[in-house]
Amino acid sequence: MSAAAALRVDYLPLARLAQQPSPWWRGVLGVVGFESAPPLNGMAAAIPVTASGTPLLGSDTPLCEVWQLADPDLDGCRVDCSGHVRYRHGEPMLFGCASLDETEARRDGESPAATLRRVTELAYRDIFRVMEHSGYPHLIRVWHYLPDINAECDGDERYRHFNSARHSAFAQASADGAGVFPAASALGSRQGSAFSIHFLAARCEPVMIENPRQISAYHYPRQYGEHCPLFSRACILGTGPGAHLFVSGTASIIGHETIHSGDEVAQTRETLTNIAALLEQANRRAPGGRFDLDALKYKVYVRHRRDQPAIAAELGRWLQAQTAVVYLEADVCREDLLVEIEAIGTAGASV
Ligand code: 3EB
């Protein structure tokens, strides 16, 4: 049995959450609301709760993302010494989250870009500190949500300022972990949202996966900004059946270039082809286990809500009807990308 086999993620209706008995909550690592952080009826003190600020599309029932470990007795929610990161952990993994409001954080005389950079570095500094303190040295997966991600700010796009700050954060943190970057997503949240980040860290080292159809993001040429986006295309935690695969936000990019500009259906198809290519790489690296497109759970970020039905129809051609897919409205970090898809899965036995 794999060390990581205990993790699961579900997209649950908020109403179902309210009905869960208290023993069920003992295994919950964290909860992510899409529109806003869900009220947890008395459990909020024990569970890290956050929100991505990306409205749910294509569903009448409000949902949230719930991370659970099979280990039923986790400690309570902790808060790091600076008060930014709330986290909870079980034996193999730690879940943490932080939200920083840029308007509140802004110092007198500081430019908006400087605030964004400082807030990003602050969040990362505290995350790395929590990881070191708690004995989870491997950053596996990070989600970043920032409002106005494509907006110009002090002469550059906010996403690019964010990339520069992430660069400094990793440079400061990496003594021996240099050059190992987590799987990640970076999306634009609704205007007025706080800068929000949540992550998974592990005791065991993951295996990082790149996509042969794409240049590694950390090697992108300068045209995408002074500092590259530091993330791996995917990573695997554990071995054989029960190993977990974390697929980063994936888009219609070949090499380093966006393709199918303006065509959300073709972009969706290209993105799924990229995810299929990652699965092929992952299956080579996970002997005894097997990841399948249909056995993953997906989050699909849609730039324009009007495109959601067409994107969903294209996904329907690739995936079985029962596959878990959540659609969220979000700006994608290149202006010409209309859709981005991330996924997570647990390996079955290979035949
Ligand atoms: C890309 O492939 C699309 O900056 O952390 C996807 C996943 C993307 C993560 C990030 C950006 C990030 O470049 C964008």
Side-chain angles (χ1 to χ4, degrees):
M1 163 125 148
S2 147
L7 183 72
R8 66 174 289 156
V9 64
D10 291 291
Y11 306 116
L12 297 181
L14 291 189
R16 278 262 298 285
L17 224 55
Q19 295 161 359
Q20 297 301 332
S22 59
W24 181 85
W25 288 100
R26 282 190 217 132
V28 176
L29 274 176
V31 176
V32 185
F34 300 127
E35 213 111 350
S36 54
L40 294 187
N41 300 338
M43 293 312 296
I47 314 285
V49 189
T50 189
S52 51
T54 55
L56 185 67
L57 299 176
S59 163
D60 296 329
T61 317
L63 301 175
C64 64
E65 181 179 86
V66 180
W67 291 94
Q68 278 176 286
L69 285 178
D71 169 0
D73 248 324
L74 312 182
D75 286 339
C77 178
R78 294 161 192 259
V79 181
D80 81 304
C81 57
S82 70
H84 294 134
V85 181
R86 282 162 297 127
Y87 61 101
R88 196 179 198 198
H89 56 88
E91 187 34 45
M93 305 198 84
L94 180 148
F95 172 95
C97 56
S99 285
L100 291 114
D101 189 306
E102 292 171 68
T103 315
E104 270 171 35
R106 182 121 177 245
R107 289 176 177 160
D108 283 345
E110 191 176 49
S111 72
T115 307
L116 172 60
R117 288 181 184 224
R118 190 166 53 76
V119 154
T120 303
E121 287 186 49
L122 207 59
Y124 264 104
R125 183 200 67 189
D126 293 343
I127 286 169
F128 286 128
R129 241 187 232 164
V130 162
M131 289 166 54
E132 195 185 331
H133 247 86
S134 322
Y136 294 80
H138 304 286
L139 192 53
I140 301 295
R141 183 66 171 93
V142 187
W143 291 263
H144 316 87
Y145 300 94
L146 46 151
D148 302 312
I149 193 167
N150 301 127
E152 283 288 309
C153 175
D154 299 326
D156 212 349
E157 188 189 31
R158 273 168 56 81
Y159 174 61
R160 295 180 181 204
H161 287 295
F162 160 77
N163 274 319
S164 294
R166 173 166 54 180
H167 209 272
S168 329
F170 274 94
Q172 281 162 39
S174 63
D176 30 66
V180 181
F181 305 113
S185 302
L187 280 307
S189 51
R190 218 176 22 191
Q191 271 198 346
S193 302
F195 174 92
S196 173
I197 181 165
H198 63 274
F199 66 98
L200 292 165
R203 292 236 197 261
C204 298
E205 199 176 342
V207 172
M208 296 306 176
I209 309 283
E210 290 300 304
N211 185 344
R213 304 178 85 231
Q214 299 183 312
I215 290 175
S216 295
Y218 46 82
H219 290 148
Y220 278 170
R222 280 290 289 272
Q223 74 198 77
Y224 302 101
E226 189 180 345
H227 296 102
C228 292
L230 299 183
F231 67 96
S232 297
R233 297 296 180 186
C235 73
I236 305 174
L237 191 64
T239 53
H244 296 296
L245 174 68
F246 302 88
V247 177
S248 291
T250 305
S252 181
I253 294 173
I254 296 206
H256 59 78
E257 276 163 338
T258 300
I259 60 164
H260 312 302
S261 215
D263 183 342
E264 74 282 2
V265 171
Q267 286 197 10
T268 303
R269 202 179 303 130
E270 204 63 53
T271 300
L272 287 164
T273 307
N274 275 330
I275 293 177
L278 281 168
L279 283 193
E280 193 186 323
Q281 296 301 308
N283 282 328
R284 288 189 194 172
R285 305 285 291 276
R290 177 156 186 89
F291 298 104
D292 282 306
L293 218 46
D294 273 316
L296 302 183
K297 291 178 180 175
Y298 295 86
K299 263 155 69 183
V300 180
Y301 298 99
V302 176
R303 182 183 288 277
H304 304 298
R305 54 169 67 212
R306 64 170 184 268
D307 290 345
Q308 189 270 340
I311 291 169
E314 183 59 27
L315 255 89
R317 284 190 265 280
W318 289 67
L319 306 172
Q320 288 167 15
Q322 70 269 23
T323 307
V325 184
V326 168
Y327 295 90
L328 300 169
E329 183 177 35
D331 288 337
V332 185
C333 64
R334 286 186 191 184
E335 295 265 27
D336 50 8
L337 290 173
L338 299 171
V339 57
E340 179 174 309
I341 305 179
E342 61 177 52
I344 177 159
T346 302
S350 63
V351 282

